[in-house]
Amino acid sequence: MIKKIIGLALLSGALSTVSWAETWNMPTPYGDANMPTKIAYQFAEEIKAKTGGDLSITVHSGASLIKHPEIPRAVQSGQVQLGEVFIGTLGNNHPVFKHDNIPFVATSYEDAHKLWLAAKPEMEKLLDKDGMMLLYVVPWPAQSLYTKFPVSSLADLSNSKMRAYSPSTSRLADLMGTTPTTVQVPDIPQAFSTGIIDSMVTSPSTGANGQAWDYLSHYTSIDAWIPKNMVVVNKRAFQRLDKATQGVILEAAANAEKSGWEGVVEQARMDTQTLIDNGIIVSKPSAQLISELQKIGAIMASEWEAEAPSEVGAILKAYNK
Ligand code: PCA
């Protein structure tokens, strides 16, 4: 009898240890050289340290566990507990996600932050409907134009094949008179060298990480928008945790978001310098190019608002306040 009781006690002790230390999986889309990925590792480390190892998060970077387009669904279904995604890729799910990729709405980091605060309540409502909760966002450096040739006006881009990474950038490519082609980051070098694309709009970081100097020559700093990655958690997974652990996650998320907004300016400067050091011709856009692009931005902004007047209207109203 006594033996049996001891046996049970040991067994339940062992079981409770197992159920206390949890491991969560966190797929991310981009590789380890990117700031959002570095921040994801910090976020995971902070949570592990502050929970004394009760919750440890395994970061699976570079879409190694789940392909980028499938990450939101994996979090929603609970296949993984949390994950990271580039907000703009969800533009076809709901126009609210497009706030992330509309040219010339917010071109400074300060304005991009303001736009984010304006969009956040609408984003949270959408995610909540899908059983997810927003944890934090990380901004990318401002998006600029990379080409295999100099560009002084849109005419120089006619017949160009431009990379697109979201519904909004496909629309942008159309309006610029180019042919949009969707290419994931790891495939950019190959797509340029085989002539599938000859231009793209992305950050100095993505150009520098992909050694853009190997396959293109010009960078025109149009700084057209400042997009973000977001990290979302499955609501049920989060609610199952005790209050203290939930608090640790929210605190680590706030720290992650802060380091992103604080770090992005210096990241942009360093990566632009890397482009210059490797021989890319970095220049400011001509007045003509900027005015042509701004006209396209205005068209895109009004199309965007017309798609969802109440939600997008709410974002723009909060932003312009
Ligand atoms: N790099 C990512 C997203 C935005 C950025 O700067 C990309 O090009 O796909």
Side-chain angles (χ1 to χ4, degrees):
M1 180 65 180
I2 286 178
K3 214 169 160 191
K4 204 168 168 193
I5 290 172
I6 292 171
L8 278 175
L10 282 177
L11 187 66
S12 69
L15 279 179
S16 72
T17 320
V18 169
S19 66
W20 274 61
E22 273 204 58
T23 301
W24 281 12
N25 288 309
M26 176 173 178
T28 81
Y30 301 97
D32 289 351
N34 292 280
M35 194 175 74
T37 315
K38 290 180 187 159
I39 289 178
Y41 284 116
Q42 279 168 25
F43 167 76
E45 246 164 59
E46 181 176 337
I47 290 170
K48 191 170 182 181
K50 287 188 176 163
T51 62
D54 281 351
L55 180 60
S56 72
I57 293 175
T58 309
V59 175
H60 303 271
S61 64
S64 58
L65 183 66
I66 297 183
K67 283 193 221 125
H68 190 181
E70 286 152 24
I71 292 176
R73 182 137 320 161
V75 176
Q76 187 180 353
S77 69
Q79 184 190 352
V80 294
Q81 293 82 0
L82 75 176
E84 181 176 323
V85 62
F86 182 67
I87 296 176
T89 57
L90 299 172
N92 282 342
N93 292 25
H94 195 286
V96 162
F97 294 114
K98 288 189 180 166
H99 83 272
D100 205 48
N101 288 182
I102 306 289
F104 304 109
V105 173
T107 57
S108 69
Y109 294 99
E110 207 184 328
D111 283 351
H113 188 247
K114 231 176 112 189
L115 177 61
W116 168 236
L117 295 182
K120 196 173 166 183
E122 296 298 326
M123 291 277 295
E124 284 176 328
K125 272 187 242 169
L126 281 180
L127 292 166
D128 185 66
K129 260 193 236 157
D130 285 342
M132 294 183 276
M133 208 180 99
L134 179 79
L135 289 177
Y136 65 86
V137 297
V138 179
W140 289 92
Q143 307 287 292
S144 284
L145 180 63
Y146 290 82
T147 46
K148 280 183 152 179
F149 40 82
V151 179
S152 54
S153 74
L154 274 191
D156 295 325
L157 282 154
S158 66
N159 300 322
S160 161
K161 288 166 272 177
M162 192 159 113
R163 172 184 179 234
Y165 60 44
S166 66
S168 304
T169 49
S170 293
R171 180 66 183 136
L172 173 67
D174 281 337
L175 290 167
M176 286 170 73
T178 68
T179 307
T181 307
T182 300
V183 178
Q184 300 286 336
V185 169
D187 305 326
I188 292 174
Q190 169 107 344
F192 269 98
S193 17
T194 55
I196 289 173
I197 51 173
D198 55 19
S199 60
M200 66 177 173
V201 180
T202 186
S203 59
S205 305
T206 295
N209 290 339
Q211 310 203 345
W213 46 89
D214 288 343
Y215 45 84
L216 56 82
S217 51
H218 288 72
Y219 174 95
T220 310
S221 58
I222 57 173
D223 293 343
W225 66 93
I226 292 161
K228 304 170 293 297
N229 286 6
M230 66 174 173
V231 170
V232 291
V233 64
N234 179 285
K235 229 171 35 178
R236 272 173 291 120
F238 185 79
Q239 284 164 350
R240 273 201 299 269
L241 298 170
D242 58 66
K243 282 272 167 290
T245 309
Q246 290 180 352
V248 167
I249 294 179
L250 296 179
E251 193 178 56
N255 290 337
E257 175 139 351
K258 193 158 167 269
S259 55
W261 289 106
E262 281 173 5
V264 70
V265 177
E266 175 58 11
Q267 189 70 49
R269 192 200 61 75
M270 281 183 336
D271 292 331
T272 308
Q273 191 57 47
T274 302
L275 298 176
I276 295 170
D277 292 346
N278 286 282
I280 291 205
I281 299 162
V282 171
S283 57
K284 293 222 158 26
S286 70
Q288 182 178 349
L289 180 66
I290 273 295
S291 103
E292 289 170 325
L293 288 175
Q294 278 172 344
K295 277 184 201 135
I296 292 174
I299 294 172
M300 287 181 65
S302 63
E303 287 177 350
W304 175 46
E305 195 172 0
E307 264 185 77
S310 93
E311 292 94 333
V312 175
I315 294 175
L316 289 173
K317 193 171 158 216
Y319 175 57
N320 291 318
K321 211 161 52 195

